[in-house]
Amino acid sequence: MRAAGRIAAKARALAGKMVKAGVTTRSIDKAVHDYIISQKATPAFLGYRDYPASICISLNNEVIHGIPSGRRINKGDIVSIDVGVMKDGFVGDCAATFIAGEGSEESNRLIQITRECFYKALQAAKPGNRVSDISRAVQRHAESNGYSVVRDYTGHGVGSQIHESPEVPNFIETPRKKADPRITEGMTIAIEPMINAGVPEILILDDGWTVVTKDGKNSAHYENTILITGSDPEILTVCEDMP
Ligand code: MF3
Ligand code: CO
């Protein structure tokens, strides 16, 4: 999983460097695809539930699962990139939101808080805690900064499959309807806050994939695959060039 994670992290960094006005989202997908193949790995998203590309690229009001296309990125767009890599039977899954150019103060703040939500959650990802401690950490940080948390999608266990149990929600469900498992040493999970500038509700576009905010406001995403250890968790989707 370290090997898969490193390739995924490098692919995310490569994609992030390509986020510039005038670039098509498909050209980023192609570059990431070719990089992953060059590492003797495979893009874990390609063909997953018939998903047609190697990465998801979601602009501005798009939350997740944007499909790469001939559309060009504009100056100031916020661009969420999600990459999954399968290497030697194991998966690394990570995402981040980048800006084309400098971006507005609001856009930079949304991206920063979303990243901080991940790191707050990371501190809660310890044996003895429960998954809800991760969820609470994300929700608290997002909402105390005036943002909302997407409820229709969650983080997840990850291993030989992209999506394994447990679900790792970014919010607390009251009253609780689902199990709230304990976090144990050796677990590998993807923590992935999806944070909206406005309302938490989402819609799915007619392409069957693209998730957008209901109010049209921006959304940011940040994700890493982590390993639970007896002390601090280890980020597996890591490389020299972390967003
Ligand atoms: N982005 C999702 C995740 O991080 C997985 C994408 S599924 C795909 O868990 F089909 F869009 F690839
Ligand atoms: Co994920």
Side-chain angles (χ1 to χ4, degrees):
M1 288 192 68
R2 286 191 185 98
R6 179 172 171 77
I7 297 165
K10 296 253 262 187
R12 170 178 58 184
L14 167 82
K17 282 208 186 75
M18 289 182 73
V19 169
K20 290 202 172 99
V23 173
T24 68
T25 56
R26 186 177 286 131
S27 69
I28 301 177
D29 181 67
K30 166 110 175 60
V32 168
H33 176 274
D34 292 352
Y35 169 69
I36 293 170
I37 298 298
S38 79
Q39 300 305 300
K40 302 197 188 332
T42 53
F45 296 173
L46 186 60
Y48 177 79
R49 298 188 179 193
D50 292 327
Y51 185 73
S54 297
I55 63 179
C56 303
I57 308 192
S58 311
L59 273 54
N60 301 320
N61 62 311
E62 298 171 357
V63 180
I64 48 167
H65 298 172
I67 302 173
S69 72
R71 179 158 61 139
R72 288 178 197 280
I73 292 169
N74 290 309
K75 185 164 165 270
D77 280 353
I78 68 165
V79 180
S80 298
I81 295 190
D82 194 342
V83 189
V85 169
M86 165 87 81
K87 171 76 172 170
D88 298 333
F90 291 94
V91 175
D93 183 12
C94 62
T97 303
F98 302 89
I99 305 191
E102 284 184 14
S104 66
E105 203 175 307
E106 305 99 87
S107 296
N108 280 285
R109 181 170 175 273
L110 176 63
I111 289 169
Q112 175 63 19
I113 298 292
T114 302
R115 188 192 295 114
E116 287 172 12
C117 283
F118 168 82
Y119 283 100
K120 297 276 182 189
L122 190 67
Q123 289 177 24
K126 298 202 169 137
N129 279 355
R130 291 182 184 271
V131 168
S132 60
D133 294 300
I134 291 174
S135 312
R136 187 176 303 102
V138 171
Q139 183 172 24
R140 241 190 218 156
H141 195 62
E143 292 181 354
S144 68
N145 281 284
Y147 295 141
S148 70
V149 166
V150 172
R151 284 139 198 272
D152 302 77
Y153 298 88
T154 66
H156 49 91
V158 49
S160 58
Q161 312 284 322
I162 316 177
H163 294 141
E164 299 184 356
S165 64
E167 271 188 20
V168 183
N170 295 307
F171 63 98
I172 300 286
E173 204 175 30
T174 45
R176 192 169 72 229
K177 296 194 196 91
K178 290 184 184 141
D180 179 15
R182 279 187 195 282
I183 296 167
T184 56
E185 198 171 336
M187 282 176 86
T188 48
I189 58 175
I191 298 178
E192 52 177 317
M194 289 153 268
I195 305 300
N196 292 352
V199 300
E201 288 82 12
I202 55 94
L203 300 168
I204 301 177
L205 297 187
D206 287 339
D207 63 17
W209 280 103
T210 313
V211 177
V212 298
T213 57
K214 195 169 175 189
D215 61 7
K217 294 192 179 175
N218 280 354
S219 184
H221 188 196
Y222 189 78
E223 174 181 27
N224 285 300
T225 299
I226 70 162
L227 167 67
I228 305 302
T229 77
S231 54
D232 289 339
E234 178 180 342
I235 299 178
L236 299 178
T237 43
V238 70
C239 68
E240 310 72 45
D241 209 351
M242 292 293 277

